[in-house]
Amino acid sequence: MCRDFAITLKSANLVTTEDIEKAGWKQFQDVVDEMLNGVMIARIDSMLAHLELTLKAAATLGHTFCAWTLYKSHPNWVSLENVVSYLDELVRAGFLDKISKEAFATAQSVMSMTLFSKAGEILCDGSDLNVLQRDGVQEEGLRCYTFRFPRCRKVAISMMLHTQRQQLHESYAKHLEKQSSFLDIRGFRGGMVAFPSLYSIAHHWLHSEQSIRCLGYLQEIGSNASLNLHCHTVRSSFVKNFGVLKKKFPPNLLLSIVNTQNRLSTRTRKPLRLRRMSS
C-alpha cells in the first residue's frame, strides 16, 4: 500500500524520485505509513458511533468472522438484524468484504496451520457454521466477513482502550467455549474441526484479563496433534508457540504441559523439546 501510494504521489508530480532517494526509502515509507494510519484513524473517527463500535468489536474478534459471533458479544447488545445492517454498511464504506462460507472455512484451516504466536495477524472466528446452522441460527447470522485491509483492523484495535479489548476478548472466549462444549476434543470426534475453536479461544483468553486460562487450550491443541497421525506439522509448529509464552508464564508451568504431551505422543518420532526453558 505504501508503494502504491508513493507511485500515486509521483504520478501526480507531488514528489520526485530524487525526493524519495534523498530522504531514503525506509524513511519515506515510514512517513507514508504514518500518513495512511492518520487517514484511517480520521475515517474511523468520522463514522457514526454505532458503526465505529461495531468495527472495533469486529477487529477484536478477528480478521475473518461470522455475524453470529459478533452479535452474541456486541457491546451494545443489539439485535442480529442490526448487527448485519451495521456490517453491510461497513462493507459499503470499504472497511469489510463479504466472503463465502467456503472462504471462511479456508481461513480457519490456514489459521489452524499457523504458529499460535502469529495467529493474531490472521485470526479467524472459531465458530463452526455447520453447528450453528444445525442449531437453527438464522441465515443472516451465518454471513461471513473479512477486513479488506489488515491495516484497518490494526488501527481499529489501537484506537481502543486496553480494558475494552480485554473485556471483548473475554466475552468472545466465553461465547466460543459454550459453542464448542459439544465437541469431544480429546477423542477428536470431528477430525480437524476442533482446531479453529481451540486456536481462537486460546488467543482470546491470552489477551483477556484472565490470560492464564489460555494454557489449557494450548495443551489441548498439542494433545490433539499428538493423537492424530497427520497432525505432526501442527504439533511441531505448536512447540514453537511457547517462545512467545515464556515471557508471560512460569517456565515450570509450561514444562508440565510439554511433559503431558510427550506422554500422549505415541505416533510421532521425536518428543517435544523446549530450548532454554529455564532461562
Side-chain angles (χ1 to χ4, degrees):
M1 185 182 292
C2 291
R3 178 178 177 275
D4 292 342
F5 195 70
I7 292 174
T8 302
L9 291 175
K10 184 176 180 300
S11 300
N13 294 322
L14 295 175
V15 297
T16 65
T17 305
E18 290 74 18
D19 294 331
I20 298 176
E21 291 177 349
K22 183 177 179 180
W25 170 248
K26 180 63 171 65
Q27 182 179 351
F28 181 79
Q29 188 176 21
D30 291 341
V31 172
V32 173
D33 189 70
E34 183 178 353
M35 186 185 305
L36 290 175
N37 285 341
V39 171
M40 192 68 71
I41 290 173
R43 282 204 64 196
I44 295 175
D45 274 338
S46 66
M47 292 193 301
L48 296 175
H50 64 280
L51 293 180
E52 181 178 352
L53 181 60
T54 300
L55 183 69
K56 292 177 178 178
T60 308
L61 175 56
H63 184 75
T64 305
F65 58 93
C66 75
W68 181 257
T69 308
L70 182 61
Y71 154 67
K72 294 298 289 185
S73 300
H74 196 285
N76 280 353
W77 298 99
V78 294
S79 67
L80 175 60
E81 291 74 15
N82 283 339
V83 169
V84 172
S85 174
Y86 299 163
L87 292 174
D88 288 342
E89 287 188 56
L90 292 172
V91 169
R92 288 190 291 270
F95 291 102
L96 304 176
D97 283 324
K98 283 185 182 179
I99 59 173
S100 64
K101 295 177 183 178
E102 292 74 18
F104 180 78
T106 299
Q108 288 185 326
S109 298
V110 170
M111 180 184 69
S112 298
M113 299 299 292
T114 303
L115 289 176
F116 182 78
S117 57
K118 302 286 186 181
E121 301 173 7
I122 56 170
L123 184 65
C124 184
D125 178 5
S127 298
D128 189 324
L129 298 184
N130 293 325
V131 173
L132 293 179
Q133 190 171 24
R134 185 197 66 185
D135 291 346
V137 172
Q138 302 175 35
E139 188 62 31
E140 289 81 358
L142 302 178
R143 292 184 184 178
C144 303
Y145 301 83
T146 188
F147 277 83
R148 182 169 297 180
F149 302 111
R151 179 187 301 273
C152 176
R153 179 175 173 244
K154 290 181 180 179
V155 169
I157 291 176
S158 70
M159 295 174 66
M160 302 175 66
L161 296 175
H162 181 64
T163 53
Q164 292 177 321
R165 294 198 300 269
Q166 284 187 323
Q167 290 170 359
L168 279 172
H169 281 302
E170 181 173 341
S171 179
Y172 290 137
K174 289 180 177 178
H175 167 69
L176 290 171
E177 278 183 335
K178 292 179 182 178
Q179 182 181 304
S180 304
S181 60
F182 75 96
L183 293 173
D184 184 6
I185 293 176
R186 287 191 181 278
F188 221 67
R189 188 176 60 195
M192 291 290 288
V193 69
F195 269 82
S197 294
L198 292 175
Y199 260 63
S200 186
I201 294 172
H203 174 88
H204 288 305
W205 276 129
L206 178 63
H207 292 86
S208 73
E209 191 174 6
Q210 304 181 58
S211 57
I212 193 71
R213 294 183 63 171
C214 82
L215 290 178
Y217 289 97
L218 290 178
Q219 181 174 354
E220 292 289 357
I221 293 171
S223 300
N224 284 334
S226 299
L227 294 170
N228 197 290
L229 183 60
H230 67 272
C231 290
H232 180 64
T233 302
V234 178
R235 182 171 177 269
S236 298
S237 68
F238 167 73
V239 183
K240 301 173 186 177
N241 296 329
F242 280 103
V244 74
L245 298 174
K246 286 197 299 182
K247 300 177 181 178
K248 197 160 189 175
F249 300 109
N252 60 335
L253 181 58
L254 298 180
L255 279 173
S256 67
I257 293 178
V258 173
N259 291 334
T260 299
Q261 306 203 19
N262 285 335
R263 290 194 297 271
L264 290 170
S265 180
T266 58
R267 298 184 180 182
T268 51
R269 298 178 181 176
K270 297 180 180 180
L272 301 181
R273 297 185 187 279
L274 296 184
R275 297 179 181 177
R276 299 187 296 276
M277 179 54 74
S278 59
S279 60

